[in-house]
Amino acid sequence: MGMGTSSGPNQVKSDINVTPLVDVVLVLLIIFLITMPVVMRTVTLEVPRKAEDTEETAAKPIIVTQLADGRYNFHDAIKEDRVISNLDLTKELRTVLSQKSGEKVVFVDFCDGVPWQEVVSTMDRVRAVASPESAPIKERREAGGDIKVALKKKEKKSEMDPNKPDPCTSR
Amino acid sequence: MGGSAGKKGGLRALPKKPKIDQVRNEINVTPLVDVCLVLLIIFMVITPLMARGKDVPLPKTELHSEEKDKLQPVVSIGKDTKTGELMVWLAGTSAQGKQELFEIGRLDEFQMSQDGEQNIMESEARDKLAKEVNRLWEVTKNLEAKGRLFMKVAADVPYEAVYPVLMAVNEDLTLTTIDLGTADKRGGE
């Protein structure tokens, strides 16, 4: 017995010490449990925003209408309405928005038949304008929030301006 | 005394050879580690699938924001796997903190008037949606969930079918913003 006790501490243990390993694994488990389910990927949309919110947006709204074929009708107060491809949308918005001071609001509208994927992609394209393409993705995601995407309320037939053709039916 | 002790030691030393019979005084950690690692892997795999609300194929985006779940009610719009019809579901957290999911109705019950005046038609489904969302806002313990709505719309639903729901939510619940659920373009492809 005496021999056993004296030689005990000097013996080299050949097993790994698992206690800290278990600690680390448990802590990792808890961290994952807490952090993983709380992330929700969202694109925030303002549902139909009242045009009278701010005078500036009411007077010169930028209205982007996506046609059934995927192209866009671009409306702003500077130039005439024009139909552009989805590749040109970012470019066009960038030039128009850079001249705007104050709140940056883009109204979006969609013709019948546009699938929801395109609706959300359009918002994605609008958000992309806020930052240069070369910026890191995390930065771009944050910057995207600076531009507000608002849904344009469909016009009532009785309030429609007969001189302004509806982009969905006129082309 | 010392002699007897030595004798005892000597006696004890003799039957020591079968090492297997020795009682180990430590817990056997190997299975514990196994279980922990398996649990870890299970949770890593399951957590992205644990999203609240009826599961629908979400549209993919690149520049979405990643926000903390505020436990707001979740409206899902998508195809019912059994009937193939487009349906509206609502999910939320009850007063007891339990997740509940119920069917609101068919998506085509939400309609705009056909006269071009863009009025939302009254329907049972529309009333139910407003009533249930208000109830969920009332019972929630999370203050951030009040006045917020999360919407998960399947990627292939046409816009004109979703529009009446957006309008109904805006009118009946006086909401000004909606969070739209999306999936990561890069992660999903």
Side-chain angles (χ1 to χ4, degrees), chain A residues 2-155:
Chain A
M3 242 182 95
T5 44
S6 67
S7 68
N10 292 331
Q11 265 185 331
V12 177
K13 276 205 177 181
S14 62
D15 319 321
I16 42 167
N17 192 0
V18 277
T19 322
L21 180 68
V22 173
D23 287 352
V24 167
V25 171
L26 279 174
V27 167
L28 269 177
L29 182 70
I30 291 161
I31 288 172
F32 272 110
L33 273 174
I34 292 170
T35 57
M36 290 293 274
V38 293
V39 182
M40 279 177 132
R41 298 187 177 93
T42 70
V43 172
T44 304
L45 171 73
E46 312 217 351
V47 270
R49 185 185 167 115
K50 306 262 184 321
E52 58 264 27
D53 268 3
T54 58
E55 280 132 46
E56 206 214 329
T57 53
K60 296 182 215 156
I62 301 166
I63 305 168
V64 172
T65 311
Q66 190 168 28
L67 313 174
D69 63 4
R71 291 181 306 162
Y72 294 96
N73 181 76
F74 196 93
H75 168 95
D76 64 8
I78 306 159
K79 277 194 276 180
E80 251 180 66
D81 280 20
R82 49 211 179 270
V83 175
I84 52 172
S85 73
N86 59 19
L87 292 170
D88 291 334
L89 178 70
T90 321
K91 217 164 55 192
E92 195 81 17
L93 271 176
R94 205 165 261 159
T95 44
V96 173
L97 280 174
S98 63
Q99 294 157 15
K100 256 190 177 260
S101 56
E103 202 185 23
K104 293 185 164 97
V105 186
V106 176
F107 287 88
V108 288
D109 193 14
F110 305 89
C111 298
D112 287 1
V114 175
W116 190 254
Q117 169 66 61
E118 276 304 307
V119 172
V120 176
S121 294
T122 300
M123 292 178 212
D124 212 29
R125 284 175 198 131
V126 172
R127 286 169 66 96
V129 177
S131 53
E133 244 123 278
S134 53
I137 192 88
K138 222 177 153 190
E139 225 168 83
R140 297 198 73 193
R141 282 180 180 166
E142 269 169 36
D146 295 348
I147 298 177
K148 298 206 164 62
V149 185
L151 198 70
K152 186 180 164 285
K153 213 165 181 170
K154 299 254 184 212
E155 273 173 75

Side-chain angles (χ1 to χ4, degrees), chain B residues 6 10 14 39 44 61 64 75 107:
Chain B
L14 266 172
L39 271 176
M44 280 172 75
T61 54
H64 45 258
V75 176
L107 181 60

Side-chain angles (χ1 to χ4, degrees), chain B residues 42-119:
Chain B
I42 287 174
F43 277 111
M44 280 172 75
V45 171
I46 277 178
T47 36
L49 309 172
M50 268 204 327
R52 294 186 302 120
K54 184 85 182 172
D55 191 32
V56 292
L58 291 172
K60 294 192 172 91
T61 54
E62 208 170 349
L63 301 176
H64 45 258
S65 45
E66 295 200 329
E67 280 172 31
K68 211 176 116 230
D69 189 351
K70 296 173 181 84
L71 296 177
Q72 65 268 53
V74 179
V75 176
S76 304
I77 298 175
K79 259 200 190 96
D80 190 311
T81 41
K82 279 191 205 116
T83 61
E85 269 182 302
L86 287 169
M87 305 293 289
V88 181
W89 295 274
L90 180 68
T93 317
S94 72
Q96 288 79 38
K98 248 178 75 182
Q99 287 297 313
E100 35 183 76
L101 174 76
F102 35 89
E103 214 175 87
I104 295 296
R106 292 198 322 277
L107 181 60
D108 58 21
E109 287 178 63
F110 290 85
Q111 268 186 352
M112 306 306 283
S113 59
Q114 296 301 308
D115 56 3
E117 291 309 299
Q118 305 295 349
N119 297 315

